[in-house]
Amino acid sequence: MRVLVTGAGGTLGRAVLPRLRTDGFTVRAMSRRPRHDPAADWVVADLGTGAGLAGAVAGMDAVLHLASHAGGGARTHRVDVLGTRRLALAAAGAGVGHLLYVSIVGVDRVPVPYYRHKLAAEQVLAAGPVPWTVLRATQFPAFLDRLLRAVGRLGPVPGDPAVLAQPVDPHEVAVRLAERLGTGPLTGIEEYGGPQVLRFDEAVRAWRAARRSYRPLLPVRLPGRLGRELRAGGLTTSVTPTGRRTWAEYLADTYGGPDRR
């Protein structure tokens, strides 16, 4: 099967490309800027303008759509929503049989501007001309790690202790995406999460221990609907199967764990 991967240079893309090749797919990788990689067939195309999309999808059996512009402003709308529509139309014109889009668990529940755009992109696919699948994944552990480092850079780590998270390893998501491509269009939404649902205070304690950090957690209750949804598990899923790599394993691999020397 010939597969175009948009956003191939991102965190998930770097996990997906070798997985697909290992599983026997013929892979074409897409980015906005030229890349030189002898292991991959890279093409240049821009979702924000549509430039290069027709050539990128030509001859492909499926498109794995990972590209996104985080933020939630005009650029996100142009890339995630309008760009997804451009991609779907180009794919239809090229006779592509499956458009698989990676979204985020909680886009339909958590009131964040970026999530509204991701949800709108899902709706574009559902109304579009190409058989489709949406796979919503929970947050990657590296994202949670970066978040904790950012909010704790000045001392205490502020956060709502009761917020729930479910980190999932991007390589395990890549495996699931390869399986979904092999299965064919779902014409629906599938969720995929990590093996554990953690409270924010639990995640912070493990993170501090792995880093040998003495920065305390500063409890801050998130107000309004956003706080309610996050405490109620808006970023988590009860759907199985799930990934296997835990937050503790990520921390041990990244920082060496609390007993490192």
Side-chain angles (χ1 to χ4, degrees), residues 194-246:
Q196 295 175 305
V197 174
L198 299 170
R199 280 173 50 109
F200 184 78
D201 53 356
E202 294 173 328
V204 171
R205 280 197 297 270
W207 179 80
R208 289 172 54 205
R211 289 166 50 92
R212 288 183 178 267
S213 170
Y214 299 97
R215 295 179 179 181
L217 172 65
L218 178 63
V220 178
R221 185 176 175 84
L222 288 175
R225 182 187 165 201
L226 175 61
R228 291 193 300 273
E229 292 290 350
L230 293 179
R231 287 188 293 271
L235 297 178
T236 70
T237 179
S238 60
V239 175
T240 56
T242 67
R244 296 182 178 181
R245 190 171 184 238
T246 66

mmCIF file of all heavy atoms in Angstrom, residues 194-246:
data_model
loop_
_atom_site.group_PDB
_atom_site.id
_atom_site.type_symbol
_atom_site.label_atom_id
_atom_site.label_comp_id
_atom_site.label_asym_id
_atom_site.label_seq_id
_atom_site.Cartn_x
_atom_site.Cartn_y
_atom_site.Cartn_z
ATOM 1 N N GLY A 194 -3.080 5.760 26.777
ATOM 2 C CA GLY A 194 -2.041 5.058 27.512
ATOM 3 C C GLY A 194 -2.620 4.081 28.518
ATOM 4 O O GLY A 194 -3.832 4.020 28.734
ATOM 5 N N PRO A 195 -1.757 3.311 29.187
ATOM 6 C CA PRO A 195 -2.222 2.240 30.066
ATOM 7 C C PRO A 195 -2.718 2.715 31.427
ATOM 8 O O PRO A 195 -3.353 1.939 32.126
ATOM 9 C CB PRO A 195 -0.975 1.366 30.225
ATOM 10 C CG PRO A 195 0.173 2.315 30.056
ATOM 11 C CD PRO A 195 -0.283 3.307 29.033
ATOM 12 N N GLN A 196 -2.422 3.975 31.807
ATOM 13 C CA GLN A 196 -2.780 4.446 33.140
ATOM 14 C C GLN A 196 -3.428 5.823 33.070
ATOM 15 O O GLN A 196 -2.986 6.699 32.324
ATOM 16 C CB GLN A 196 -1.533 4.572 34.024
ATOM 17 C CG GLN A 196 -0.824 3.276 34.342
ATOM 18 C CD GLN A 196 0.452 3.548 35.116
ATOM 19 O OE1 GLN A 196 1.314 4.304 34.674
ATOM 20 N NE2 GLN A 196 0.571 2.939 36.294
ATOM 21 N N VAL A 197 -4.473 5.999 33.870
ATOM 22 C CA VAL A 197 -5.034 7.325 34.105
ATOM 23 C C VAL A 197 -4.436 7.847 35.405
ATOM 24 O O VAL A 197 -4.551 7.206 36.455
ATOM 25 C CB VAL A 197 -6.569 7.284 34.190
ATOM 26 C CG1 VAL A 197 -7.122 8.652 34.573
ATOM 27 C CG2 VAL A 197 -7.169 6.816 32.868
ATOM 28 N N LEU A 198 -3.771 8.999 35.334
ATOM 29 C CA LEU A 198 -3.064 9.566 36.469
ATOM 30 C C LEU A 198 -3.672 10.897 36.871
ATOM 31 O O LEU A 198 -4.035 11.706 36.011
ATOM 32 C CB LEU A 198 -1.592 9.806 36.117
ATOM 33 C CG LEU A 198 -0.753 8.597 35.723
ATOM 34 C CD1 LEU A 198 0.589 9.075 35.175
ATOM 35 C CD2 LEU A 198 -0.540 7.689 36.921
ATOM 36 N N ARG A 199 -3.781 11.114 38.175
ATOM 37 C CA ARG A 199 -4.054 12.468 38.656
ATOM 38 C C ARG A 199 -2.802 13.321 38.451
ATOM 39 O O ARG A 199 -1.673 12.829 38.467
ATOM 40 C CB ARG A 199 -4.420 12.435 40.140
ATOM 41 C CG ARG A 199 -5.850 12.029 40.438
ATOM 42 C CD ARG A 199 -6.066 11.866 41.931
ATOM 43 N NE ARG A 199 -5.597 13.000 42.718
ATOM 44 C CZ ARG A 199 -6.397 13.874 43.350
ATOM 45 N NH1 ARG A 199 -7.701 13.729 43.275
ATOM 46 N NH2 ARG A 199 -5.888 14.857 44.050
ATOM 47 N N PHE A 200 -3.036 14.617 38.303
ATOM 48 C CA PHE A 200 -1.916 15.534 38.070
ATOM 49 C C PHE A 200 -0.902 15.471 39.210
ATOM 50 O O PHE A 200 0.307 15.468 38.971
ATOM 51 C CB PHE A 200 -2.445 16.961 37.912
ATOM 52 C CG PHE A 200 -1.390 17.975 37.569
ATOM 53 C CD1 PHE A 200 -0.905 18.076 36.279
ATOM 54 C CD2 PHE A 200 -0.875 18.835 38.544
ATOM 55 C CE1 PHE A 200 0.071 19.015 35.953
ATOM 56 C CE2 PHE A 200 0.091 19.771 38.231
ATOM 57 C CZ PHE A 200 0.567 19.860 36.928
ATOM 58 N N ASP A 201 -1.382 15.377 40.447
ATOM 59 C CA ASP A 201 -0.434 15.339 41.565
ATOM 60 C C ASP A 201 0.379 14.048 41.553
ATOM 61 O O ASP A 201 1.567 14.051 41.908
ATOM 62 C CB ASP A 201 -1.141 15.543 42.905
ATOM 63 C CG ASP A 201 -2.308 14.611 43.143
ATOM 64 O OD1 ASP A 201 -2.648 13.818 42.242
ATOM 65 O OD2 ASP A 201 -2.902 14.677 44.243
ATOM 66 N N GLU A 202 -0.211 12.939 41.108
ATOM 67 C CA GLU A 202 0.540 11.690 40.984
ATOM 68 C C GLU A 202 1.624 11.812 39.917
ATOM 69 O O GLU A 202 2.765 11.367 40.121
ATOM 70 C CB GLU A 202 -0.407 10.548 40.610
ATOM 71 C CG GLU A 202 -1.422 10.177 41.671
ATOM 72 C CD GLU A 202 -2.420 9.154 41.178
ATOM 73 O OE1 GLU A 202 -2.741 9.159 39.976
ATOM 74 O OE2 GLU A 202 -2.865 8.345 42.004
ATOM 75 N N ALA A 203 1.266 12.394 38.784
ATOM 76 C CA ALA A 203 2.229 12.568 37.698
ATOM 77 C C ALA A 203 3.378 13.465 38.133
ATOM 78 O O ALA A 203 4.541 13.206 37.815
ATOM 79 C CB ALA A 203 1.530 13.150 36.465
ATOM 80 N N VAL A 204 3.065 14.527 38.882
ATOM 81 C CA VAL A 204 4.099 15.455 39.341
ATOM 82 C C VAL A 204 5.030 14.792 40.349
ATOM 83 O O VAL A 204 6.256 14.972 40.291
ATOM 84 C CB VAL A 204 3.468 16.728 39.935
ATOM 85 C CG1 VAL A 204 4.521 17.596 40.612
ATOM 86 C CG2 VAL A 204 2.759 17.526 38.845
ATOM 87 N N ARG A 205 4.491 14.008 41.270
ATOM 88 C CA ARG A 205 5.345 13.331 42.256
ATOM 89 C C ARG A 205 6.335 12.397 41.568
ATOM 90 O O ARG A 205 7.523 12.363 41.918
ATOM 91 C CB ARG A 205 4.486 12.562 43.262
ATOM 92 C CG ARG A 205 3.893 13.425 44.352
ATOM 93 C CD ARG A 205 3.405 12.589 45.517
ATOM 94 N NE ARG A 205 2.321 11.691 45.140
ATOM 95 C CZ ARG A 205 1.036 12.008 45.192
ATOM 96 N NH1 ARG A 205 0.671 13.212 45.601
ATOM 97 N NH2 ARG A 205 0.103 11.137 44.841
ATOM 98 N N ALA A 206 5.868 11.625 40.587
ATOM 99 C CA ALA A 206 6.767 10.724 39.867
ATOM 100 C C ALA A 206 7.803 11.506 39.073
ATOM 101 O O ALA A 206 8.986 11.127 39.013
ATOM 102 C CB ALA A 206 5.954 9.822 38.941
ATOM 103 N N TRP A 207 7.395 12.606 38.480
ATOM 104 C CA TRP A 207 8.294 13.460 37.691
ATOM 105 C C TRP A 207 9.366 14.075 38.575
ATOM 106 O O TRP A 207 10.553 14.088 38.223
ATOM 107 C CB TRP A 207 7.447 14.525 37.005
ATOM 108 C CG TRP A 207 8.171 15.515 36.156
ATOM 109 C CD1 TRP A 207 8.613 15.329 34.874
ATOM 110 C CD2 TRP A 207 8.494 16.865 36.502
ATOM 111 N NE1 TRP A 207 9.191 16.490 34.406
ATOM 112 C CE2 TRP A 207 9.122 17.437 35.383
ATOM 113 C CE3 TRP A 207 8.289 17.649 37.638
ATOM 114 C CZ2 TRP A 207 9.575 18.758 35.369
ATOM 115 C CZ3 TRP A 207 8.738 18.957 37.642
ATOM 116 C CH2 TRP A 207 9.381 19.515 36.514
ATOM 117 N N ARG A 208 8.969 14.563 39.728
ATOM 118 C CA ARG A 208 9.937 15.148 40.667
ATOM 119 C C ARG A 208 10.936 14.103 41.144
ATOM 120 O O ARG A 208 12.139 14.355 41.235
ATOM 121 C CB ARG A 208 9.212 15.751 41.863
ATOM 122 C CG ARG A 208 8.429 17.024 41.564
ATOM 123 C CD ARG A 208 7.594 17.431 42.754
ATOM 124 N NE ARG A 208 8.403 17.553 43.954
ATOM 125 C CZ ARG A 208 7.929 17.416 45.198
ATOM 126 N NH1 ARG A 208 6.660 17.114 45.380
ATOM 127 N NH2 ARG A 208 8.723 17.558 46.229
ATOM 128 N N ALA A 209 10.462 12.905 41.462
ATOM 129 C CA ALA A 209 11.358 11.855 41.937
ATOM 130 C C ALA A 209 12.372 11.469 40.863
ATOM 131 O O ALA A 209 13.561 11.287 41.155
ATOM 132 C CB ALA A 209 10.548 10.639 42.367
ATOM 133 N N ALA A 210 11.906 11.346 39.616
ATOM 134 C CA ALA A 210 12.808 10.969 38.529
ATOM 135 C C ALA A 210 13.879 12.024 38.291
ATOM 136 O O ALA A 210 15.026 11.695 37.968
ATOM 137 C CB ALA A 210 12.005 10.731 37.251
ATOM 138 N N ARG A 211 13.534 13.291 38.485
ATOM 139 C CA ARG A 211 14.469 14.396 38.246
ATOM 140 C C ARG A 211 15.248 14.795 39.500
ATOM 141 O O ARG A 211 16.047 15.727 39.438
ATOM 142 C CB ARG A 211 13.686 15.606 37.727
ATOM 143 C CG ARG A 211 13.164 15.458 36.310
ATOM 144 C CD ARG A 211 12.125 16.520 35.974
ATOM 145 N NE ARG A 211 12.561 17.858 36.310
ATOM 146 C CZ ARG A 211 13.191 18.677 35.465
ATOM 147 N NH1 ARG A 211 13.461 18.253 34.238
ATOM 148 N NH2 ARG A 211 13.553 19.883 35.829
ATOM 149 N N ARG A 212 14.974 14.107 40.618
ATOM 150 C CA ARG A 212 15.551 14.496 41.909
ATOM 151 C C ARG A 212 15.278 15.978 42.187
ATOM 152 O O ARG A 212 16.163 16.734 42.613
ATOM 153 C CB ARG A 212 17.059 14.222 41.938
ATOM 154 C CG ARG A 212 17.419 12.749 42.007
ATOM 155 C CD ARG A 212 18.926 12.571 42.104
ATOM 156 N NE ARG A 212 19.290 11.175 42.211
ATOM 157 C CZ ARG A 212 19.465 10.527 43.358
ATOM 158 N NH1 ARG A 212 19.283 11.169 44.500
ATOM 159 N NH2 ARG A 212 19.823 9.262 43.359
ATOM 160 N N SER A 213 14.071 16.370 41.936
ATOM 161 C CA SER A 213 13.653 17.758 42.132
ATOM 162 C C SER A 213 12.909 17.900 43.446
ATOM 163 O O SER A 213 12.154 17.014 43.854
ATOM 164 C CB SER A 213 12.737 18.185 40.972
ATOM 165 O OG SER A 213 12.146 19.429 41.243
ATOM 166 N N TYR A 214 13.123 19.025 44.110
ATOM 167 C CA TYR A 214 12.449 19.283 45.381
ATOM 168 C C TYR A 214 11.403 20.390 45.244
ATOM 169 O O TYR A 214 10.910 20.908 46.246
ATOM 170 C CB TYR A 214 13.482 19.650 46.453
ATOM 171 C CG TYR A 214 14.463 18.529 46.691
ATOM 172 C CD1 TYR A 214 15.709 18.539 46.063
ATOM 173 C CD2 TYR A 214 14.124 17.440 47.491
ATOM 174 C CE1 TYR A 214 16.600 17.487 46.253
ATOM 175 C CE2 TYR A 214 15.017 16.390 47.690
ATOM 176 C CZ TYR A 214 16.251 16.419 47.070
ATOM 177 O OH TYR A 214 17.118 15.379 47.246
ATOM 178 N N ARG A 215 11.067 20.724 44.009
ATOM 179 C CA ARG A 215 10.062 21.760 43.799
ATOM 180 C C ARG A 215 8.688 21.224 44.203
ATOM 181 O O ARG A 215 8.245 20.195 43.691
ATOM 182 C CB ARG A 215 10.045 22.184 42.328
ATOM 183 C CG ARG A 215 11.331 22.854 41.884
ATOM 184 C CD ARG A 215 11.287 23.225 40.419
ATOM 185 N NE ARG A 215 12.515 23.894 40.019
ATOM 186 C CZ ARG A 215 12.751 24.357 38.801
ATOM 187 N NH1 ARG A 215 11.827 24.202 37.858
ATOM 188 N NH2 ARG A 215 13.885 24.952 38.515
ATOM 189 N N PRO A 216 8.004 21.903 45.093
ATOM 190 C CA PRO A 216 6.702 21.390 45.550
ATOM 191 C C PRO A 216 5.604 21.633 44.527
ATOM 192 O O PRO A 216 5.724 22.488 43.638
ATOM 193 C CB PRO A 216 6.441 22.214 46.811
ATOM 194 C CG PRO A 216 7.147 23.516 46.551
ATOM 195 C CD PRO A 216 8.380 23.165 45.764
ATOM 196 N N LEU A 217 4.541 20.853 44.646
ATOM 197 C CA LEU A 217 3.339 21.106 43.856
ATOM 198 C C LEU A 217 2.558 22.233 44.511
ATOM 199 O O LEU A 217 2.310 22.217 45.719
ATOM 200 C CB LEU A 217 2.471 19.845 43.794
ATOM 201 C CG LEU A 217 1.093 20.005 43.156
ATOM 202 C CD1 LEU A 217 1.207 20.368 41.680
ATOM 203 C CD2 LEU A 217 0.274 18.738 43.333
ATOM 204 N N LEU A 218 2.201 23.229 43.720
ATOM 205 C CA LEU A 218 1.381 24.346 44.200
ATOM 206 C C LEU A 218 -0.044 24.110 43.720
ATOM 207 O O LEU A 218 -0.345 24.337 42.545
ATOM 208 C CB LEU A 218 1.926 25.670 43.662
ATOM 209 C CG LEU A 218 1.149 26.935 44.032
ATOM 210 C CD1 LEU A 218 1.177 27.151 45.550
ATOM 211 C CD2 LEU A 218 1.721 28.143 43.306
ATOM 212 N N PRO A 219 -0.943 23.650 44.581
ATOM 213 C CA PRO A 219 -2.308 23.330 44.128
ATOM 214 C C PRO A 219 -3.053 24.576 43.656
ATOM 215 O O PRO A 219 -3.144 25.577 44.378
ATOM 216 C CB PRO A 219 -2.963 22.745 45.383
ATOM 217 C CG PRO A 219 -1.829 22.364 46.280
ATOM 218 C CD PRO A 219 -0.743 23.351 45.997
ATOM 219 N N VAL A 220 -3.555 24.522 42.440
ATOM 220 C CA VAL A 220 -4.342 25.613 41.862
ATOM 221 C C VAL A 220 -5.549 24.984 41.183
ATOM 222 O O VAL A 220 -5.409 24.269 40.185
ATOM 223 C CB VAL A 220 -3.523 26.419 40.835
ATOM 224 C CG1 VAL A 220 -4.402 27.515 40.218
ATOM 225 C CG2 VAL A 220 -2.275 26.995 41.457
ATOM 226 N N ARG A 221 -6.724 25.237 41.707
ATOM 227 C CA ARG A 221 -7.932 24.640 41.136
ATOM 228 C C ARG A 221 -8.355 25.405 39.891
ATOM 229 O O ARG A 221 -8.615 26.610 39.957
ATOM 230 C CB ARG A 221 -9.063 24.648 42.171
ATOM 231 C CG ARG A 221 -10.335 23.939 41.695
ATOM 232 C CD ARG A 221 -11.373 23.902 42.809
ATOM 233 N NE ARG A 221 -12.639 23.332 42.374
ATOM 234 C CZ ARG A 221 -12.898 22.029 42.328
ATOM 235 N NH1 ARG A 221 -11.969 21.167 42.706
ATOM 236 N NH2 ARG A 221 -14.078 21.586 41.922
ATOM 237 N N LEU A 222 -8.400 24.718 38.767
ATOM 238 C CA LEU A 222 -8.813 25.352 37.520
ATOM 239 C C LEU A 222 -10.300 25.689 37.577
ATOM 240 O O LEU A 222 -11.118 24.834 37.934
ATOM 241 C CB LEU A 222 -8.549 24.432 36.338
ATOM 242 C CG LEU A 222 -7.086 24.245 35.930
ATOM 243 C CD1 LEU A 222 -6.980 23.209 34.824
ATOM 244 C CD2 LEU A 222 -6.484 25.563 35.458
ATOM 245 N N PRO A 223 -10.667 26.901 37.208
ATOM 246 C CA PRO A 223 -12.070 27.310 37.309
ATOM 247 C C PRO A 223 -12.882 26.911 36.073
ATOM 248 O O PRO A 223 -12.350 26.518 35.039
ATOM 249 C CB PRO A 223 -11.966 28.830 37.403
ATOM 250 C CG PRO A 223 -10.753 29.159 36.577
ATOM 251 C CD PRO A 223 -9.786 28.010 36.792
ATOM 252 N N GLY A 224 -14.194 27.061 36.200
ATOM 253 C CA GLY A 224 -15.102 26.988 35.073
ATOM 254 C C GLY A 224 -15.206 25.624 34.427
ATOM 255 O O GLY A 224 -14.816 24.593 34.980
ATOM 256 N N ARG A 225 -15.752 25.662 33.217
ATOM 257 C CA ARG A 225 -15.990 24.419 32.484
ATOM 258 C C ARG A 225 -14.691 23.694 32.177
ATOM 259 O O ARG A 225 -14.637 22.451 32.217
ATOM 260 C CB ARG A 225 -16.744 24.726 31.193
ATOM 261 C CG ARG A 225 -17.074 23.459 30.400
ATOM 262 C CD ARG A 225 -17.663 23.768 29.047
ATOM 263 N NE ARG A 225 -17.627 22.590 28.184
ATOM 264 C CZ ARG A 225 -17.685 22.639 26.861
ATOM 265 N NH1 ARG A 225 -17.784 23.813 26.248
ATOM 266 N NH2 ARG A 225 -17.628 21.528 26.155
ATOM 267 N N LEU A 226 -13.617 24.449 31.860
ATOM 268 C CA LEU A 226 -12.349 23.809 31.551
ATOM 269 C C LEU A 226 -11.888 22.939 32.715
ATOM 270 O O LEU A 226 -11.535 21.769 32.532
ATOM 271 C CB LEU A 226 -11.283 24.862 31.229
ATOM 272 C CG LEU A 226 -9.866 24.332 31.001
ATOM 273 C CD1 LEU A 226 -9.831 23.375 29.818
ATOM 274 C CD2 LEU A 226 -8.886 25.480 30.793
ATOM 275 N N GLY A 227 -11.906 23.492 33.911
ATOM 276 C CA GLY A 227 -11.495 22.716 35.069
ATOM 277 C C GLY A 227 -12.384 21.510 35.303
ATOM 278 O O GLY A 227 -11.897 20.419 35.614
ATOM 279 N N ARG A 228 -13.688 21.698 35.160
ATOM 280 C CA ARG A 228 -14.617 20.584 35.379
ATOM 281 C C ARG A 228 -14.350 19.446 34.407
ATOM 282 O O ARG A 228 -14.346 18.268 34.790
ATOM 283 C CB ARG A 228 -16.063 21.063 35.249
ATOM 284 C CG ARG A 228 -16.527 21.984 36.372
ATOM 285 C CD ARG A 228 -18.035 22.149 36.354
ATOM 286 N NE ARG A 228 -18.533 22.712 35.110
ATOM 287 C CZ ARG A 228 -18.636 24.015 34.859
ATOM 288 N NH1 ARG A 228 -18.264 24.907 35.784
ATOM 289 N NH2 ARG A 228 -19.118 24.447 33.708
ATOM 290 N N GLU A 229 -14.149 19.782 33.143
ATOM 291 C CA GLU A 229 -13.926 18.741 32.142
ATOM 292 C C GLU A 229 -12.598 18.016 32.370
ATOM 293 O O GLU A 229 -12.517 16.795 32.223
ATOM 294 C CB GLU A 229 -13.950 19.351 30.736
ATOM 295 C CG GLU A 229 -15.309 19.877 30.295
ATOM 296 C CD GLU A 229 -16.311 18.757 30.041
ATOM 297 O OE1 GLU A 229 -15.920 17.582 30.017
ATOM 298 O OE2 GLU A 229 -17.499 19.072 29.869
ATOM 299 N N LEU A 230 -11.564 18.758 32.742
ATOM 300 C CA LEU A 230 -10.265 18.122 32.958
ATOM 301 C C LEU A 230 -10.280 17.233 34.201
ATOM 302 O O LEU A 230 -9.673 16.160 34.208
ATOM 303 C CB LEU A 230 -9.179 19.191 33.075
ATOM 304 C CG LEU A 230 -8.897 19.999 31.804
ATOM 305 C CD1 LEU A 230 -7.815 21.036 32.066
ATOM 306 C CD2 LEU A 230 -8.486 19.099 30.648
ATOM 307 N N ARG A 231 -10.984 17.651 35.229
ATOM 308 C CA ARG A 231 -11.080 16.818 36.441
ATOM 309 C C ARG A 231 -11.969 15.602 36.206
ATOM 310 O O ARG A 231 -11.791 14.557 36.847
ATOM 311 C CB ARG A 231 -11.608 17.651 37.608
ATOM 312 C CG ARG A 231 -10.601 18.647 38.171
ATOM 313 C CD ARG A 231 -11.108 19.305 39.446
ATOM 314 N NE ARG A 231 -12.256 20.162 39.185
ATOM 315 C CZ ARG A 231 -12.185 21.454 38.851
ATOM 316 N NH1 ARG A 231 -10.989 22.041 38.712
ATOM 317 N NH2 ARG A 231 -13.268 22.172 38.649
ATOM 318 N N ALA A 232 -12.915 15.723 35.286
ATOM 319 C CA ALA A 232 -13.836 14.618 34.995
ATOM 320 C C ALA A 232 -13.249 13.613 34.001
ATOM 321 O O ALA A 232 -13.914 12.637 33.657
ATOM 322 C CB ALA A 232 -15.150 15.165 34.459
ATOM 323 N N GLY A 233 -12.023 13.853 33.536
ATOM 324 C CA GLY A 233 -11.402 12.908 32.609
ATOM 325 C C GLY A 233 -11.582 13.248 31.154
ATOM 326 O O GLY A 233 -11.550 12.350 30.307
ATOM 327 N N GLY A 234 -11.743 14.533 30.854
ATOM 328 C CA GLY A 234 -11.935 14.936 29.462
ATOM 329 C C GLY A 234 -10.780 14.587 28.547
ATOM 330 O O GLY A 234 -10.968 14.491 27.332
ATOM 331 N N LEU A 235 -9.589 14.397 29.099
ATOM 332 C CA LEU A 235 -8.418 14.054 28.304
ATOM 333 C C LEU A 235 -8.102 12.563 28.342
ATOM 334 O O LEU A 235 -7.027 12.139 27.906
ATOM 335 C CB LEU A 235 -7.189 14.838 28.790
ATOM 336 C CG LEU A 235 -7.257 16.357 28.653
ATOM 337 C CD1 LEU A 235 -5.996 16.990 29.214
ATOM 338 C CD2 LEU A 235 -7.459 16.777 27.200
ATOM 339 N N THR A 236 -9.024 11.766 28.849
ATOM 340 C CA THR A 236 -8.779 10.331 28.999
ATOM 341 C C THR A 236 -9.840 9.536 28.244
ATOM 342 O O THR A 236 -10.882 10.058 27.865
ATOM 343 C CB THR A 236 -8.799 9.916 30.475
ATOM 344 O OG1 THR A 236 -10.132 10.009 30.986
ATOM 345 C CG2 THR A 236 -7.872 10.799 31.298
ATOM 346 N N THR A 237 -9.564 8.249 28.063
ATOM 347 C CA THR A 237 -10.510 7.364 27.408
ATOM 348 C C THR A 237 -10.547 6.029 28.127
ATOM 349 O O THR A 237 -9.527 5.569 28.653
ATOM 350 C CB THR A 237 -10.136 7.143 25.927
ATOM 351 O OG1 THR A 237 -11.073 6.246 25.333
ATOM 352 C CG2 THR A 237 -8.738 6.578 25.777
ATOM 353 N N SER A 238 -11.717 5.408 28.138
ATOM 354 C CA SER A 238 -11.857 4.076 28.727
ATOM 355 C C SER A 238 -11.846 2.988 27.670
ATOM 356 O O SER A 238 -12.009 1.805 27.972
ATOM 357 C CB SER A 238 -13.167 3.997 29.531
ATOM 358 O OG SER A 238 -14.288 4.246 28.685
ATOM 359 N N VAL A 239 -11.635 3.383 26.419
ATOM 360 C CA VAL A 239 -11.663 2.432 25.308
ATOM 361 C C VAL A 239 -10.407 1.558 25.344
ATOM 362 O O VAL A 239 -9.304 2.024 25.649
ATOM 363 C CB VAL A 239 -11.762 3.183 23.967
ATOM 364 C CG1 VAL A 239 -11.658 2.220 22.797
ATOM 365 C CG2 VAL A 239 -13.063 3.963 23.898
ATOM 366 N N THR A 240 -10.556 0.295 25.052
ATOM 367 C CA THR A 240 -9.432 -0.617 24.916
ATOM 368 C C THR A 240 -9.360 -1.121 23.474
ATOM 369 O O THR A 240 -10.376 -1.092 22.765
ATOM 370 C CB THR A 240 -9.589 -1.834 25.867
ATOM 371 O OG1 THR A 240 -10.841 -2.472 25.590
ATOM 372 C CG2 THR A 240 -9.566 -1.383 27.320
ATOM 373 N N PRO A 241 -8.195 -1.567 22.984
ATOM 374 C CA PRO A 241 -6.939 -1.706 23.721
ATOM 375 C C PRO A 241 -6.244 -0.372 23.933
ATOM 376 O O PRO A 241 -6.592 0.630 23.302
ATOM 377 C CB PRO A 241 -6.104 -2.608 22.807
ATOM 378 C CG PRO A 241 -6.582 -2.250 21.428
ATOM 379 C CD PRO A 241 -8.061 -2.003 21.576
ATOM 380 N N THR A 242 -5.271 -0.384 24.828
ATOM 381 C CA THR A 242 -4.468 0.801 25.099
ATOM 382 C C THR A 242 -3.001 0.467 24.860
ATOM 383 O O THR A 242 -2.622 -0.669 24.640
ATOM 384 C CB THR A 242 -4.635 1.255 26.559
ATOM 385 O OG1 THR A 242 -4.059 0.247 27.427
ATOM 386 C CG2 THR A 242 -6.091 1.464 26.926
ATOM 387 N N GLY A 243 -2.169 1.497 24.957
ATOM 388 C CA GLY A 243 -0.739 1.272 24.934
ATOM 389 C C GLY A 243 -0.272 0.613 26.223
ATOM 390 O O GLY A 243 -1.050 0.416 27.161
ATOM 391 N N ARG A 244 1.017 0.292 26.286
ATOM 392 C CA ARG A 244 1.571 -0.414 27.438
ATOM 393 C C ARG A 244 2.621 0.385 28.191
ATOM 394 O O ARG A 244 2.852 0.139 29.377
ATOM 395 C CB ARG A 244 2.197 -1.732 26.972
ATOM 396 C CG ARG A 244 1.183 -2.715 26.378
ATOM 397 C CD ARG A 244 1.862 -4.019 25.994
ATOM 398 N NE ARG A 244 0.898 -4.981 25.472
ATOM 399 C CZ ARG A 244 1.217 -6.212 25.084
ATOM 400 N NH1 ARG A 244 2.475 -6.631 25.160
ATOM 401 N NH2 ARG A 244 0.285 -7.024 24.611
ATOM 402 N N ARG A 245 3.276 1.306 27.544
ATOM 403 C CA ARG A 245 4.385 2.022 28.188
ATOM 404 C C ARG A 245 3.838 3.066 29.152
ATOM 405 O O ARG A 245 3.082 3.950 28.779
ATOM 406 C CB ARG A 245 5.271 2.685 27.138
ATOM 407 C CG ARG A 245 6.579 3.245 27.694
ATOM 408 C CD ARG A 245 7.479 3.682 26.562
ATOM 409 N NE ARG A 245 8.768 4.132 27.027
ATOM 410 C CZ ARG A 245 9.275 5.358 26.779
ATOM 411 N NH1 ARG A 245 8.557 6.227 26.076
ATOM 412 N NH2 ARG A 245 10.458 5.695 27.217
ATOM 413 N N THR A 246 4.268 2.989 30.395
ATOM 414 C CA THR A 246 3.730 3.845 31.445
ATOM 415 C C THR A 246 4.513 5.154 31.556
ATOM 416 O O THR A 246 5.627 5.297 31.027
ATOM 417 C CB THR A 246 3.774 3.128 32.803
ATOM 418 O OG1 THR A 246 5.152 2.924 33.169
ATOM 419 C CG2 THR A 246 3.040 1.792 32.749
#
